[in-house]
Amino acid sequence: MGLFQTIPSSENPGDRSRPLADRIRPRTFDEFVGQEHLIAPGKPLRVQIERDDLGSLIFWGPPGTGKTTLAQIIARMSRAEFIEFSAVLSGIKEIKQVMAEAERARQYGTRTIVFVDEIHRFNKAQQDAFLPHVEKGNIRLIGATTENPSFEIISALLSRSRVYVLKPLTEEQIVLLLRRALEDNERGLGTIKLSAGDDVLKQIAAYSSGDARSAYNVLEVAAALALGSPHPSKGAKGGAASIGKTSGAEITTAIVQDALQKRVLLYDKAGEEHYNLISALHKSVRNSDPDAALYWLGRMLEAGEDPLYVARRVVRMAIEDIGLAEPNALSLCMAARDAVDFIGMPEGSLALAQAVVYLAIAPKSNALYTAYTDVQQDVERTAAESVPLHLRNAPTGLMKSLGYGQGYQYAHDLEGKVADMQCLPDNLKDRTYYRPTNEGVEKRIRERMEELRRTKNNFTIETPRHREGK
């Protein structure tokens, strides 16, 4: 018995023990729905396949967008042996065994496509095991991943592969797939003669978040509920037997609600979508869009994000994008964090909602953020000069004799409460970091700084009392 396996979708399409999502899997480009930017006539992947000019490929996209299906279609069109790996179940031993057989098959003129699902779960050593065989041409590697390949695939393998990005399916595309599944007599649910309105199919599509596999699973459960059986794929009472009969049943909105239970939200607290959503929240706040800010906040919290993580990021927004234009923003965000910590979820979500709306409508300023960034750059790039002597304390006689504190002017003793005294080191004496805007409270701060600047430019010679050590 060899390791090569037949492409699953070509096996007995009428086998009702297989899930609907597997039975109904497209076998050709004509059946495939979505990813037109890759497989429409004249598009890059389609051209590569039709010319039989494939190298190794990485399919990157959300679940249920057709990564496995595309790999199987490619294998069928190129008449290659198809080996499917799961990165969750396979290790180095299995990889080496398959590579050895692929090398022997090549000697007999047989091409081998190795499809690795969830390739990002392979560690570096496992990914390295593919390299020599990819370079020799023993295999054509097709990897599927939901994670950013830049971070999850080793650079050596990535440089030898072409990355194709798959997009989530639209609601219209999923409705089309569901309608096909209901009407397909050979592989779908057509023999049952179930009916479902477009509004019902749109409800399933909306709740599947662009994941066709999830939509098929919901449809299959809904079909079972409509027939009054536990599951349409089971051979128990009313299962496979019922599938073969004309039922005339209807899938209703209520049935779909029962089948859904909980909406499928694409989210991975450790993956790229985690960072995509927090980025969307932050940029919506920065752009003063409270509605978008609330939406992205809800997307994160309802998908199970740690509310304290969101609270920390909201505090950061108050500092980075609001600053002194609205000093109360930081206090309100800290209060929201404390509320989440104190009362927990789901009640704490309203505290975070209050905070993000407040930040979105608050006047914006990144003056402090840019000022401190400039300070960090100067600390890194310029010489660390000593603190000027007049700014140093002189608690001992020796320090006084060395000039510590000499020339220091106590601002409270001066008219205007400001002294004609340099406080930056000599190499940065004319540097300006903080440039307040005209937004919110910063407008008053700007006016105050201009007043201080005029005072320093018009000093009259006075004899202030010196107070060392203050």
Side-chain angles (χ1 to χ4, degrees), residues 307-308 310-319 327-342 351-352 354-356 358-359:
L308 285 177
V310 178
R312 288 193 296 271
R313 292 301 300 260
V314 168
V315 170
R316 169 72 182 197
M317 295 172 204
I319 299 167
N328 289 327
L330 178 58
S331 299
L332 186 140
C333 291
M334 293 299 291
R337 183 211 62 176
D338 291 342
V340 170
D341 191 33
F342 179 63
L352 292 174
Q354 178 179 337
V356 298
Y358 188 91
L359 295 182

Side-chain angles (χ1 to χ4, degrees), residues 3 6 30 57-58 67 69 116 126 174 198-199 210 229 234 259 274 293 328 351 372-373 434 464:
L3 290 174
T6 308
D30 291 336
L57 307 173
I58 301 293
K67 298 184 291 293
T69 299
V116 183
Q126 290 168 318
I174 290 181
D198 286 342
D199 56 334
S229 71
K234 304 300 181 185
H274 163 83
N328 289 327
Y372 192 72
T373 300
Y434 180 49

Side-chain angles (χ1 to χ4, degrees), residues 210-429:
D211 183 338
R213 185 185 301 108
S214 172
Y216 281 135
N217 291 341
V218 172
L219 179 65
E220 191 168 20
V221 173
L225 294 174
L227 294 172
S229 71
H231 197 287
S233 291
K234 304 300 181 185
K237 297 178 182 178
S242 296
I243 290 296
K245 296 179 180 179
T246 300
S247 71
E250 181 183 4
I251 299 176
T252 64
T253 299
I255 288 175
V256 169
Q257 289 287 357
D258 288 341
L260 284 168
Q261 297 297 318
K262 180 67 177 176
R263 177 165 191 174
V264 178
L265 288 175
L266 174 62
Y267 198 67
D268 181 353
K269 288 192 279 186
E272 188 187 6
E273 194 67 6
H274 163 83
Y275 299 103
N276 288 342
L277 288 175
I278 194 63
S279 175
L281 172 60
H282 195 154
K283 289 170 182 173
S284 298
V285 165
R286 182 180 292 153
N287 200 46
S288 301
D289 190 332
D291 297 309
L294 274 176
Y295 172 76
W296 295 119
L297 173 69
R299 278 279 298 272
M300 297 188 76
L301 295 179
E302 294 304 313
E305 178 57 80
D306 178 5
L308 285 177
Y309 166 78
V310 178
R312 288 193 296 271
R313 292 301 300 260
V314 168
V315 170
R316 169 72 182 197
M317 295 172 204
I319 299 167
E320 179 178 337
D321 294 291
I322 313 302
L324 289 176
E326 177 46 86
N328 289 327
L330 178 58
S331 299
L332 186 140
C333 291
M334 293 299 291
R337 183 211 62 176
D338 291 342
V340 170
D341 191 33
F342 179 63
I343 64 176
M345 298 294 283
E347 293 85 354
S349 60
L350 290 179
L352 292 174
Q354 178 179 337
V356 298
V357 170
Y358 188 91
L359 295 182
I361 64 177
K364 306 294 188 296
S365 172
N366 69 341
L368 272 175
Y369 174 75
T370 56
Y372 192 72
T373 300
D374 290 343
V375 168
Q376 289 176 308
Q377 292 174 351
D378 280 352
V379 169
E380 179 69 24
R381 298 173 185 174
T382 63
E385 289 197 356
S386 301
V387 175
L389 287 174
H390 62 273
L391 295 181
R392 302 185 191 185
N393 283 337
T396 68
L398 174 61
M399 297 169 79
K400 289 180 181 178
S401 69
L402 293 174
Y404 282 38
Q406 186 175 350
Y408 171 69
Q409 301 176 52
Y410 189 59
H412 290 289
D413 290 344
L414 303 177
E415 184 178 353
K417 308 299 181 182
V418 60
D420 183 13
M421 182 173 61
Q422 178 183 319
C423 294
L424 280 169
D426 287 339
N427 63 336
L428 295 171
K429 65 178 182 179

